Amino acid sequence: MVYELEAEVVYNRPVSGITWEIKLKAEPIASSSLPGQFVMVETHKGDIKEYDPLNRRPFAVADTENGSVVIYYDVVGRGTKKLTFLRKGDKVHLLGPLGEGSFPIKENKKAIVVAGGIGASGVSLLVKRLKEKNIPTVVLYGARNREFLSMFDWYESVKGGTVEVVYYTDDGSFGKKGFPVQDLDKFIENPQEVVIYACGPKPLLRYLKDYSSKRGIETYLSLDRRMACGWGVCLGCVVKTVNGFERVCKEGPVFEAQHLLEF
Ligand SMILES: Cc1cc2nc3c(=O)[nH]c(=O)nc-3n(C[C@H](O)[C@H](O)[C@H](O)COP(=O)(O)OP(=O)(O)OC[C@H]3O[C@@H](n4cnc5c(N)ncnc54)[C@H](O)[C@@H]3O)c2cc1C
Ligand code: FES
């Protein structure tokens, strides 16, 4: 079920680098969101004179708590800049949870979660659910430098017990120097007993599609596309799959890697 509601801002604050974190009171969206699903957020404050940008913007449901949705967003353009103007108590229209393709939990497999940059917010709810189910999980979280490991505090708070987190930076300013996929082999003893989940830049996801295809590893990728409607009507977000063209906002955003032909 998809809900359209006016959500109240609990807080909206800068976190690190270009990333902000916003928490919105959004029941029943919060309690019904599955890992990998997203919401479309109206980025203006509702004043008719400020109806710009017109289209809502898509953001992953990074976390949910007490009837609220938490989003981590990079400030990259007009919409996300406007989001930073929201203050505690402001109201903003929200549509969600969206996307019929979410991350499936595999109870009998070790989970390897690859997060690239702000893609960390696309897999964080998944990591939380994996931990709740005591599923052994390795998170490989990479970014260009320490500042861009924007969800560092969140991942630190969830690590421990069945969840191991390994950090990577391109410049070596924190954690291991290099990319989060460089040590994959070390974490995989038997490809049949592992499932890979990932969200991040396209080159990272393409690498994982290739890597998992060669080794026969079940792999789920969360795709990012510019979205105008977010609920399947504009056809602006299609990718080529084994079933023909499919909509990232409707059939995705999570797809099994070998299901994808071009993205
Ligand atoms: C399912 C989904 C989940 C997402 N989750 C998150 C999230 O949790 N956190 C987050 O920071 N971002 C997320 N994004 C990306 C986010 O939606 C865009 O960054 C945002 O819409 C940009 O809006 P803007 O008005 O600030 O940028 P605009 O002014 O519209 O564009 C600014 C620049 O950003 C580029 N851009 C805009 N939209 C996208 C996009 N979807 N993908 C790649 N580049 C884009 C444009 O080409 C342009 O260069 C997600 C996207 C999708 C499809
Ligand atoms: S964004 Fe309109 S169909 Fe996907």
Side-chain angles (χ1 to χ4, degrees):
M1 175 106 183
V2 176
Y3 303 93
E4 215 290 325
L5 52 82
E6 237 192 356
E8 187 181 323
V9 177
V10 180
Y11 60 73
N12 186 26
R13 59 193 180 202
V15 185
S16 177
I18 57 169
T19 311
W20 283 56
E21 175 190 359
I22 188 168
K23 185 172 181 179
L24 299 158
K25 270 189 210 166
E27 203 56 298
I29 294 178
S31 57
S32 55
S33 292
L34 298 171
Q37 285 191 305
F38 66 100
V39 287
M40 292 294 283
V41 183
E42 206 165 51
T43 57
H44 59 77
K45 283 208 275 178
D47 180 335
I48 193 77
K49 292 189 290 286
E50 290 186 24
Y51 269 140
D52 171 63
L54 191 60
N55 291 332
R56 298 173 203 223
R57 298 296 194 247
F59 298 99
V61 176
D63 200 357
T64 58
E65 48 189 34
N66 306 324
S68 294
V69 163
V70 178
I71 292 167
Y72 285 79
Y73 63 98
D74 275 356
V75 181
V76 293
R78 281 182 312 143
T80 45
K81 180 70 196 162
K82 274 209 154 176
L83 263 187
T84 66
F85 299 153
L86 292 171
R87 294 289 171 263
K88 181 178 164 57
D90 285 344
K91 300 264 177 68
V92 63
H93 281 278
L94 214 60
L95 182 71
L98 294 162
E100 288 165 6
S102 56
F103 287 115
I105 305 268
K106 303 285 167 166
E107 308 250 358
N108 54 351
K109 289 192 172 184
K110 171 177 159 181
I112 297 188
V113 181
V114 183
I118 195 63
S121 63
V123 286
S124 44
L125 190 59
L126 168 72
V127 173
K128 194 172 173 182
R129 297 287 174 258
L130 291 166
K131 182 160 184 168
E132 285 163 5
K133 290 187 174 288
N134 288 318
I135 295 173
T137 302
V138 179
V139 180
L140 307 173
Y141 178 10
R144 68 179 87 154
N145 58 39
R146 170 64 183 86
E147 223 190 341
F148 281 77
L149 286 170
S150 320
M151 288 190 72
F152 177 80
D153 289 348
W154 190 94
Y155 279 93
E156 282 296 289
S157 74
V158 84
K159 99 175 183 198
T162 50
V163 177
E164 180 185 353
V165 183
V166 187
Y167 299 100
Y168 296 82
T169 49
D170 299 0
D171 66 355
S173 53
F174 188 81
K176 296 188 172 190
K177 186 175 185 336
F179 302 116
V181 287
Q182 69 193 24
D183 298 328
L184 269 176
D185 287 343
K186 290 188 198 154
F187 296 102
I188 300 170
E189 281 151 29
N190 180 351
Q192 302 308 310
E193 292 170 4
V194 165
V195 53
I196 297 176
Y197 304 99
C199 186
K202 256 185 216 160
L204 178 86
L205 301 185
R206 287 183 181 142
Y207 176 89
L208 284 169
K209 173 175 154 57
D210 194 42
Y211 177 91
S212 59
S213 141
K214 285 181 184 140
R215 290 162 182 77
I217 301 172
E218 188 175 5
T219 296
Y220 296 90
L221 307 176
S222 178
L223 301 190
D224 178 359
R225 269 286 190 285
R226 293 214 71 163
M227 288 181 178
C229 73
W231 48 287
V233 294
C234 76
L235 305 183
C237 65
V238 294
V239 285
K240 205 170 178 185
T241 74
V242 294
N243 292 340
F245 288 102
E246 290 188 78
R247 298 158 293 184
V248 172
C249 70
K250 187 77 175 169
E251 285 77 32
V254 176
F255 294 92
E256 208 285 316
Q258 303 321 316
H259 184 78
L260 293 163
L261 295 180
E262 273 174 34
F263 65 95

